Amino acid sequence: MNNLNSIIIEGNLVRDPLFRSTAKGTPLCTFSIASNRFYKQDTGIENEVSFFDVESWSKLAESCYNLGHKGRGVKVVGRLKQDRWAGPDGKQRSRVSIVAEHIEFRPEFKREESDQDDPSEAGASENAVTEDIAEMASVAF
């Protein structure tokens, strides 16, 4: 019987994804995400940032490479995997990473280029975009 090994994490890509293939030709995409945690402290609100390595395989790897880029928000559902090896100095090393089973990218909002002469109209559309972003940020995946 398998034990439970499941993780859900949200964050932003730290850098552009790296795409490669195994010797047998299976696509593999690796990337890192930063996940923020805010909490109250006596001096105010504190921010704790954690970084996680993620790997995705096959068609999911191709999608991650095509859709992902530095700074893009992402939600990863997967499992933890521990790699172990002996370092050059003979000491045992280990690393825990996330193997993605499902990935959702946050929507991206692009500013519309307009050649309007009235700056009040341009400001109104910027406010609408800002309100849309604030609304999306309040909605959980």
Side-chain angles (χ1 to χ4, degrees):
M1 177 169 107
N2 286 336
N3 294 330
L4 179 63
N5 180 359
S6 185
I7 185 168
I8 300 172
I9 191 158
E10 290 185 56
N12 296 322
L13 272 69
V14 175
R15 64 186 69 81
D16 289 340
L18 176 64
F19 185 82
R20 59 184 184 269
S21 296
T22 64
K24 293 183 178 181
T26 305
L28 167 65
C29 184
T30 57
F31 55 93
S32 296
I33 62 172
S35 183
N36 293 301
R37 176 181 174 258
F38 297 96
Y39 58 95
K40 286 187 179 181
Q41 194 71 331
D42 295 336
T43 58
I45 304 281
E46 296 291 325
N47 181 20
E48 175 183 275
V49 182
S50 299
F51 297 90
F52 300 95
D53 294 326
V54 180
E55 61 184 48
S56 59
W57 294 85
S58 300
K59 291 201 180 282
L60 186 58
E62 294 169 3
S63 296
C64 289
Y65 182 70
N66 292 329
L67 297 173
H69 58 79
K70 181 180 178 179
R72 180 126 193 222
V74 66
K75 175 178 155 182
V76 177
V77 178
R79 62 182 172 84
L80 297 176
K81 178 182 85 165
Q82 182 180 33
D83 295 319
R84 297 181 191 165
W85 70 96
D89 57 359
K91 290 186 179 179
Q92 290 295 314
R93 307 267 190 234
S94 70
R95 172 182 44 215
V96 175
S97 60
I98 299 169
V99 177
E101 296 169 353
H102 178 78
I103 295 179
E104 293 178 15
F105 287 94
R106 289 195 193 133
E108 291 185 295
F109 297 98
K110 296 183 181 179
R111 291 183 184 249
E112 293 181 22
E113 296 293 325
S114 65
D115 53 347
Q116 299 171 353
D117 293 329
D118 186 3
S120 64
E121 288 182 29
S125 68
E126 284 180 18
N127 289 339
V129 170
T130 304
E131 290 171 7
D132 288 345
I133 291 171
E135 183 179 323
M136 288 299 295
S138 67
V139 176
F141 284 135

